[in-house]
Amino acid sequence: MRVPLSWLREYVDLPATQTGRDVQAKLISAGLEVETVEQLGADLKGPLVVGQVLTIEELEGFKKPIRFCTVDVGQANGTGEPQEIVCGARNFQVGDKVVVVLPGATLPGGFSIAARKTYGKTSHGMICSSDELGMGDDGAHGIIVLPPETEVGKDAIELLELVDEVLDIAVTANRGDCLSIRGVARETAIAYGLPLRDPALIDVPAPNAYGYPVQVTDPFGCDRFTARTVTGLSPEARSPIWLQRRLQKVGMRPISLAVDVTNYVMMELGQPLHAYDRSLVQGTIGVRRAQEGEKLVTLDGVERTLHGEDLVITDERGPIGLAGVMGGANTEIADLPQSRLLPTGGTPMVTEDGVNGTSDVVIEAAHFDAVSIARTARRHKLLSEASRRFERGVDPQAAAAAAQRTVDLLVLLAGGTAEAGVTEIIAPSAPHTITLPAGHPDKVAGVDYGRETVVRRLQQVGCDVYGQDELLVTVPSWRPDLADPNDLAEEVIRLEGYENLPSTLPKPPSGRGLTHRQRLHRRVGRALAGAGYVEAPNYPFVSEQVFDQLGLAAGDPARRVVKLVNPLSDEEPALRTTLLPGLLGALRRNDGRGSHDLALFETGLVFLPREESRGATHLPVDRRPTEEEIAALNAALPEQPRHVAVVLAGAREQAGWWGKGRPADWADAVEAGRAVAREAGAELIVRKGQYGPWHPGRCAELVVAADGAERVVGHAGELHPRVVKALGLPERTCAMELDLDALEAVGDGAPQAPGISTFPVATQDVALVVDKPVPAVEVEAALREGAGELLESIRLFDVYENAEQLGEGRKSLAYALRFRAADRTLTVDEASAARDAAVALAGERTGAVLRG
């Protein structure tokens, strides 16, 4: 909600010294989230004046239309002579009043104005558009043309209210009252301890039998409906400058007088309104639920198929508007530019092309059920300023005042006549009352406020309070969010100042620290961060098309997803079964923004649907659910194992004076998997594999052994070129994904201190020649088993291929074997014997022979 400080001051007499920053601090202290204070016209410097176009000369020979104008600016230029200005706009003519910026001025953005030669003429200033003055969109997309009665030479900065401060407030879902100047003014008055001039406190005529006929058949969906009629409006009337500027400052575009007035009153009082062209409404206006499959063309020109739960406004033909969301095109107020009007002597006015101009309108001010409006808006993907307010709570008692305010403005600005008939349909309802112990806010906050403070603060909010120890509080109509004693306690606490609450640290009982699972997740995150990876959490939502891009087979279990009934985005309606889509998307975005050397990781839940689908049970709210009820609910949820994944692209080691550096490759992804396994205390078996998005020749299968059986827990390696192209990733992108819960289940989570031997190590290097298809991991496994207990570690440090030296289809694998005994220093013969045994077993199993 954007709130101009100048508008706010109309209802609260703020001290002249108070700036927007000061008001921001006060409102934040009261619990409103004021995100920014925009300084309108802060860098604007005059002279900026009203001028009248005297002559226009069309300049020929240029690629675009150029006009050389003389403009009367009065005495603003110091001479009284016409100002010569070159302009490319076409939406003004001789005699029009325009806004002129003279040499020496500065426009928003630091744009200085000086006389300059252009298109063969010297231009002494500019004729300004709304964009150039920082006013926002006025719908004209051209030069500002002022009303004919505007005085020549008048200061345009003051006329257009170009200097102001606008508070941008992030209104939470429970504070619909603050989606209006009235609501923010009330909060400001409370914060400053000043009286409020409530704009809704105006004289409203009583309802009578002469108003426009209205029939409400669904009083639950619409508990209040006010209708007023104004006739004889001048179709030529346009919104005055002050009204247009206020709409622009709050972020709305001026459209036409009738529409602008309803928008203005909505922003002022928080009550959405709608104006119907009376000549287009046929018969009684009704409010009912839509019939399944009914059609309605809304004001945005879209034909919508209605749902049986939609609340609609109707006449004798059927729906003429989606209640609380958007009106229908069949009763739209005609928006006619003044230059197109041709008076015909009757009502309504008619243009050259036969389009009617609106002269009689019916004003609707109603109160609709918040849940119904919210569902309709989301069902039709049609969020509007009206629906935004209704779904957060609108003051039902403001409807009549808003209708009267609209009528008054239309009569004042368009010369209309307010008909005597007043229609007001109200469903009986009692005011909401809450019983509140006077000491309840004290208990909630841990502060001794006292009864007097509690009563005073609640009365400032608008509550009627009676009683001594037990307070009977009647909630004001504009605060539907106050539903129970805790809500009232929160009001007292926030108005007394959250900053005044004592800060007390909780005292946790001993022995209740992090769980084993939580500690593992933290260790994994620290290990990957220490290895140079950056954590990049992502939303758990994916599209089903991403599985095609990842190259998953048609029957792959990862394609079975849990779909959301009400997704945040229709493009991503499913919950993820793998972490890779989100991580690869983050990598692609960062690469596109110039960060090419990337190493990202994420730990998070994936969601796997169960084989048997069960409906969730409804848990009781009046007692604690039983263990059986909780178990039944959990059984209906999808399985949610925690995975860990990394993605890499670009350089893994940077080049510099120390060396050439190297790019990230499949081995880095495999090493990330090993690092995770070490933190889990699990032994990870790495062997050649083939799966989905990975390159078939550069994919490692990550396996753990438990209870004598092996289980694949993940994959690592370089992604397939087709996947890289489909997802728009950098070349040679690598990735790893592991089931972290599976690692935890087979791992030894107890911290293992490194063993430090007092005896020296004996190192033996061996180079074995094998056939190229033989995996290095098989050779390593045979060497490890053959070496026996004396082998401390084994490392592959070289792979060599040369057909001339090794033979066609052969390769050399060089391993470093470290031997050590726990109780003695090994002799050369013992180390050599262990090495020979390892080589012999490797030769027996893989056909390996010693090189040379």
Side-chain angles (χ1 to χ4, degrees), residues 776-791:
V777 67
E778 293 184 9
V779 178
E780 180 181 322
L783 289 172
R784 187 183 300 276
E785 183 179 342
E789 296 180 353
L790 293 180
L791 181 67

Side-chain angles (χ1 to χ4, degrees), residues 494-515:
R494 76 174 181 87
L495 294 178
E496 283 295 303
Y498 290 122
E499 68 275 10
N500 296 323
L501 293 177
S503 179
T504 305
L505 291 176
K507 296 179 180 179
S510 59
R512 294 189 181 180
L514 298 176
T515 65

